[in-house]
Amino acid sequence: MEMSIGTNIKSLRQQKAVTQEQLAEAMNVTCAAVSKWERGDTFPDITLLQPLAYYFGVSIDELMGYSAHKVEQTIEDLLERYRVLYRSDFTAARELIVQAHADYPNDYRIMHCYMWNLGGDYADNDPGVLLEHKDEFLDICRKIDDGCRDHKICLDAWNMRAKLLWAEGKPEEALEIYRTHFYNWYETVGQKSEQLFAKNTPEFLYWVKKNMYELADFAADKLVKSIFFDPQFPMEKRVAEAEQYGSIVLTIAKETAEPFFAVIAHSLFGRLQNDLRYRGGTDADVIRMTDKYLDATRLLTELAEGNPVLTETLHPLRGSNTLLQWTVNLYLNAKGGRNAELLKNPEYAEILTKYCEE
């Protein structure tokens, strides 16, 4: 952050209608010193901050140009930009969060994003990368423990400790952290929120549906992983099996217009096309699966109309865009990696254009 105390001193002096000479006399410094302050060549001695603030009738924070509200808004804007870039341009996202951490090293949200960006996100972490940053990550975890009140960020600090233990070849110690600090499936926020209300109330029905959609999404994702990463079968068979399940469920979803099945189909094809993109799938497989994924996304978008629970489940970070618009825009705006390369394939571009125009 650039310190603006010199600019503020000049502005406050002019508002008070005093000369540099008068201010210098009041602070018992030379006129040249005041001139250097205002040009930004030097800063006032720390012992002069209180006298200067008193002289101008402002707080020390105001004198130094610090606005808690402005800083908070800047940080929130940075984090929002980071979330968007992370999905479309990882290199730019890395540069943004590294600079943000240099500018705001004590903000727990930025510490959190910085640590997990360097660490490689939550899955498939490279042990070498984790160990390379071990001391820095542990220092961040200690800072979070000492002062952060955001429960999720605090849990993620324990998650990073477990990751580091795993990288050191200590998986049992890592698992013990999870057993000690994390919850089982029946003690989640969704389950407890559902149990808070009587079963004949609108609130109970809301949480039952929300939990159902989230668990359907989660379970379908696990189903594809259990097939895709099973080494006893060739890749072609794994892809065909997962695709078959997705097609069956998508057909049921279209016939019944039941969001539960649409969520499963969307998650199945989403997981499958994502793994194919990043784990050596052919362009033909990725294009075919992307088409089916966007077809499921379109159905889910249509079913979300008039279904506030489903809408809230799908749209927490997507602003005014529908799920389909947001997904297509994400692919169209890819800046690097496999997603950007795929945009050069006319068949892939045609698929995106088809759904973009709907």
Side-chain angles (χ1 to χ4, degrees):
M1 287 186 298
E2 181 181 352
M3 187 176 292
S4 56
I5 186 171
T7 302
N8 289 341
I9 288 174
K10 182 176 181 179
S11 175
L12 291 166
R13 178 179 62 76
Q14 291 174 341
Q15 291 174 34
K16 195 174 177 68
V18 299
T19 65
Q20 288 185 343
E21 290 80 3
Q22 290 171 315
L23 177 58
E25 183 179 354
M27 295 297 111
N28 196 27
V29 297
T30 65
C31 185
V34 173
S35 179
K36 289 181 179 179
W37 296 346
E38 295 187 357
R39 292 199 308 270
D41 294 340
T42 62
F43 299 120
D45 187 272
I46 192 170
T47 60
L48 289 175
L49 295 182
Q50 186 62 56
L52 280 166
Y54 181 77
Y55 181 81
F56 290 123
V58 297
S59 68
I60 292 179
D61 280 349
E62 291 172 302
L63 176 70
M64 298 184 69
Y66 177 84
S67 166
H69 174 74
K70 184 177 180 181
V71 170
E72 175 63 20
Q73 187 60 55
T74 299
I75 290 174
E76 288 182 0
D77 291 344
L78 279 171
L79 291 170
E80 179 59 27
R81 285 172 54 205
Y82 172 73
R83 283 190 286 266
V84 172
L85 283 173
Y86 191 82
R87 295 179 175 90
S88 60
D89 189 345
F90 185 81
T91 300
R94 167 69 61 85
E95 292 173 354
L96 176 65
I97 202 62
V98 168
Q99 185 59 53
H101 186 250
D103 291 340
Y104 304 95
N106 296 313
D107 186 89
Y108 298 115
R109 296 161 296 179
I110 288 178
M111 287 183 203
H112 171 264
C113 292
Y114 170 82
M115 177 172 68
W116 285 101
N117 184 290
L118 265 61
D121 213 337
Y122 292 118
D124 296 323
N125 304 91
D126 183 334
V129 171
L130 291 175
L131 293 178
E132 177 186 351
H133 296 281
K134 175 185 173 182
D135 291 341
E136 182 181 18
F137 288 172
L138 287 176
D139 184 56
I140 289 174
C141 290
R142 282 190 290 268
K143 288 179 179 178
I144 289 172
D145 283 348
D146 289 343
C148 185
R149 295 295 178 265
D150 186 310
H151 186 58
K152 182 181 184 303
I153 292 177
C154 291
L155 280 178
D156 268 350
W158 283 106
N159 189 12
M160 179 53 75
R161 288 186 176 94
K163 294 279 188 179
L164 291 169
L165 286 169
W166 165 79
E168 292 176 328
K170 303 173 182 176
E172 283 306 315
E173 292 182 42
L175 290 171
E176 183 58 30
I177 284 181
Y178 292 137
R179 286 189 287 266
T180 303
H181 294 277
F182 291 79
Y183 304 107
N184 62 39
W185 303 116
Y186 294 99
E187 294 175 351
T188 61
V189 59
Q191 180 73 355
K192 293 306 174 185
S193 298
E194 178 183 317
Q195 292 173 346
L196 184 64
F197 302 101
K199 290 185 172 61
N200 60 344
T201 63
E203 292 85 0
F204 174 79
L205 186 60
Y206 167 86
W207 281 104
V208 166
K209 288 185 176 180
K210 191 171 190 297
N211 289 340
M212 176 179 67
Y213 297 146
E214 291 181 356
L215 289 172
D217 179 36
F218 199 72
D221 179 270
K222 300 304 179 191
L223 173 61
V224 174
K225 287 178 179 176
S226 71
I227 298 170
F228 192 87
F229 295 101
D230 189 341
Q232 66 177 313
F233 298 110
M235 177 62 71
E236 295 79 6
K237 179 174 175 58
R238 290 180 250 165
V239 172
E241 183 177 346
E243 183 178 1
Q244 179 186 21
Y245 292 156
S247 297
I248 291 171
V249 178
L250 182 57
T251 298
I252 295 173
K254 289 180 177 180
E255 290 177 352
T256 63
E258 169 53 57
F260 173 77
F261 298 114
V263 169
I264 293 176
H266 177 261
S267 182
L268 279 167
F269 285 126
R271 179 77 258 167
L272 183 55
Q273 61 93 23
N274 182 78
D275 285 336
L276 287 168
R277 282 173 189 267
Y278 298 108
R279 298 182 182 277
T282 66
D283 277 9
D285 280 342
V286 173
I287 291 168
R288 187 177 73 260
M289 230 55 65
T290 299
D291 189 11
K292 293 188 175 185
Y293 174 57
L294 291 176
D295 189 22
T297 304
R298 174 177 54 191
L299 175 62
L300 203 53
T301 300
E302 293 170 355
L303 294 176
E305 295 182 13
N307 186 331
V309 183
L310 184 59
T311 299
E312 184 176 326
T313 304
L314 298 175
H315 291 258
L317 296 175
R318 299 188 178 96
S320 60
N321 287 337
T322 66
L323 178 61
L324 180 61
Q325 291 171 332
W326 182 87
T327 305
V328 173
N329 288 341
L330 181 66
Y331 293 151
L332 287 172
N333 293 317
K335 303 298 183 184
R338 182 75 187 278
N339 286 342
E341 286 298 316
L342 281 165
L343 288 172
K344 300 174 184 178
N345 188 312
E347 294 181 19
Y348 180 75
E350 183 181 355
I351 291 295
L352 298 185
T353 301
K354 178 179 70 172
Y355 289 99
C356 184
E357 294 174 348
E358 294 185 358

